[in-house]
Amino acid sequence: MITIEDVRAAAKSIAGIAVRTPLLASWAIGTDLWLKPENLQPIGAFKVRGAVHALLSLPLDAQAAGVITHSSGNHGQALAYAGRMVGSPVVVVVPEGAPAVKVDAIRALGAEVVTVPPAERESRTAELAAERGLTIIPPYDHRHIIAGQGTVGLEIVEDLPEVDVVLVPVGGGGLASGVATAVKALAPRATVIGVEPALAADAADSLAHGELRSWTTEDRYRTMADGLRTPLSELTFAHLRERLDGIVTVSEEEILTTVSLLARAARIVAEPSGAVTTAAYLHHREELPPGRTVAVVSGGNIDPALLAGLLIAEELDA
């Protein structure tokens, strides 16, 4: 389990590389709501925090030899960005069907992209790492990744010490594990709630049963929130079981309407995975504690055609 000291060390490691994103009061959405816009990061998502910290924590010879990961997009972009900064070769194994906007961005940052069926992303990553002598930096099942993502929670408490509720997306659980670690250490009275799509609710299922529950790849890939399709690991499940106060699930319709609302009312571009926390605030208030609430908008790498279609459809319905 990581500690607040691990998160503080990560904050020093990524200072000047990852953006220290602000808290934005969003009165148009809720009078007690603040947004943490991680879409403002250099690669458009929070993942840069963990990727930079994990890569910089490797020995120099491992950095020079190169690294590999598997990713639906945002972690791959983050590792490619970090690799370009320090001169490390990067390979990203991408599942078929990953958003083209994300895959194109990975390539533009100089990484090699290997596309595989979704169920083979981890096994193919391991094979390539062994064949080429690359170090695997997974998207969430890694202490340095979790610590890096935890800097989001560190900043939330620094900027809003009286925070009552923190809403954080849950996919593989790295972000939620890190944020819960930081918030519980620095503001123990605050409640940390995870949010995930109902169509990929393996974390809610696991926490309800007190054991790691496996959902099929086909089940998890039903959600449009591609960044939240990954399963928990033993490491992230252990963190969430001990430090998360609860979990809420949101529907696909709730996610889509919230993407549009964030763009119009808060001027924030959020991908579906990044919109789930605000969707929980808007549509599941009865499941949340009252008080000053921060919703982590984890990323903004949305297909431009999808965003345009949502905004046009809403105009036509108005």
Side-chain angles (χ1 to χ4, degrees), residues 29 48 133 191 219 229 266 283 295:
I29 298 176
V48 70
T191 301
D219 281 343
R229 291 169 175 166
H283 300 285

Side-chain angles (χ1 to χ4, degrees), residues 3-318:
T3 68
I4 187 59
E5 295 309 319
D6 295 315
V7 178
R8 286 184 170 131
K12 293 179 180 177
S13 172
I14 68 175
I17 303 174
V19 173
R20 192 193 187 289
T21 54
L23 279 188
L24 304 177
S26 188
W27 310 128
I29 298 176
T31 56
D32 57 355
L33 177 67
W34 283 259
L35 302 174
K36 180 71 167 166
E38 287 295 293
N39 59 307
L40 300 180
Q41 291 294 346
I43 55 89
F46 75 96
K47 292 281 192 177
V48 70
R49 297 171 180 266
V52 168
H53 181 49
L55 184 56
L56 292 180
S57 298
L58 291 178
L60 293 178
D61 58 344
Q63 291 182 26
V67 294
I68 187 171
T69 193
H70 59 89
S71 170
S72 64
N74 285 340
H75 176 65
Q77 289 181 69
L79 193 59
Y81 178 81
R84 189 172 71 171
M85 292 193 65
V86 302
S88 294
V90 176
V91 178
V92 182
V93 176
V94 173
E96 295 170 350
V101 66
K102 296 183 179 182
V103 178
D104 291 345
I106 293 171
R107 288 195 176 98
L109 287 165
E112 175 187 348
V113 172
V114 177
T115 305
V116 300
E120 298 177 15
R121 53 190 282 176
E122 292 190 44
S123 60
R124 186 60 179 143
T125 298
E127 290 172 2
L128 287 171
E131 291 172 7
R132 303 188 189 182
L134 304 172
T135 299
I136 298 175
I137 298 183
Y140 54 88
D141 188 25
H142 191 290
R143 285 177 52 84
H144 287 133
I145 292 288
I146 294 172
Q149 320 306 27
T151 59
V152 170
L154 190 70
E155 293 172 11
I156 288 172
V157 179
E158 287 176 352
D159 290 348
L160 189 66
E162 65 275 22
V163 62
D164 296 304
V165 184
V166 176
L167 304 176
V168 58
V170 180
L175 176 62
S177 295
V179 168
T181 296
V183 172
K184 286 301 183 181
L186 300 172
R189 67 173 187 80
T191 301
V192 184
I193 303 291
V195 186
E196 66 180 346
L199 293 183
D202 55 305
D205 189 17
S206 297
L207 292 170
H209 287 86
E211 63 180 12
L212 196 56
R213 306 268 288 190
S214 178
W215 284 33
T216 66
T217 301
E218 291 75 16
D219 281 343
R220 287 183 278 104
Y221 269 65
R222 293 175 300 167
T223 180
M224 73 186 73
D226 61 279
L228 305 180
R229 291 169 175 166
T230 46
L232 299 180
S233 68
E234 293 285 354
L235 179 62
T236 56
F237 178 58
H239 282 80
L240 299 188
R241 182 169 52 186
E242 180 171 317
R243 296 170 182 171
L244 202 65
D245 293 300
I247 196 160
V248 171
T249 62
V250 293
S251 71
E252 300 297 289
E253 182 180 358
E254 290 166 350
I255 293 170
L256 280 178
T257 57
T258 303
V259 168
S260 178
L261 179 65
L262 283 167
R264 290 186 297 101
R267 309 299 187 268
I268 287 180
V269 174
E271 61 189 275
S273 301
V276 296
T277 51
T278 309
Y281 175 89
L282 289 169
H283 300 285
H284 298 268
R285 287 290 284 164
E286 73 283 356
E287 300 176 49
L288 304 175
R292 293 166 290 258
T293 301
V294 173
V296 178
V297 180
S298 55
N301 293 318
I302 187 171
D303 181 347
L306 173 59
L307 179 59
L310 290 173
L311 294 175
I312 291 171
E314 191 156 309
E315 284 295 323
L316 294 174
D317 290 340

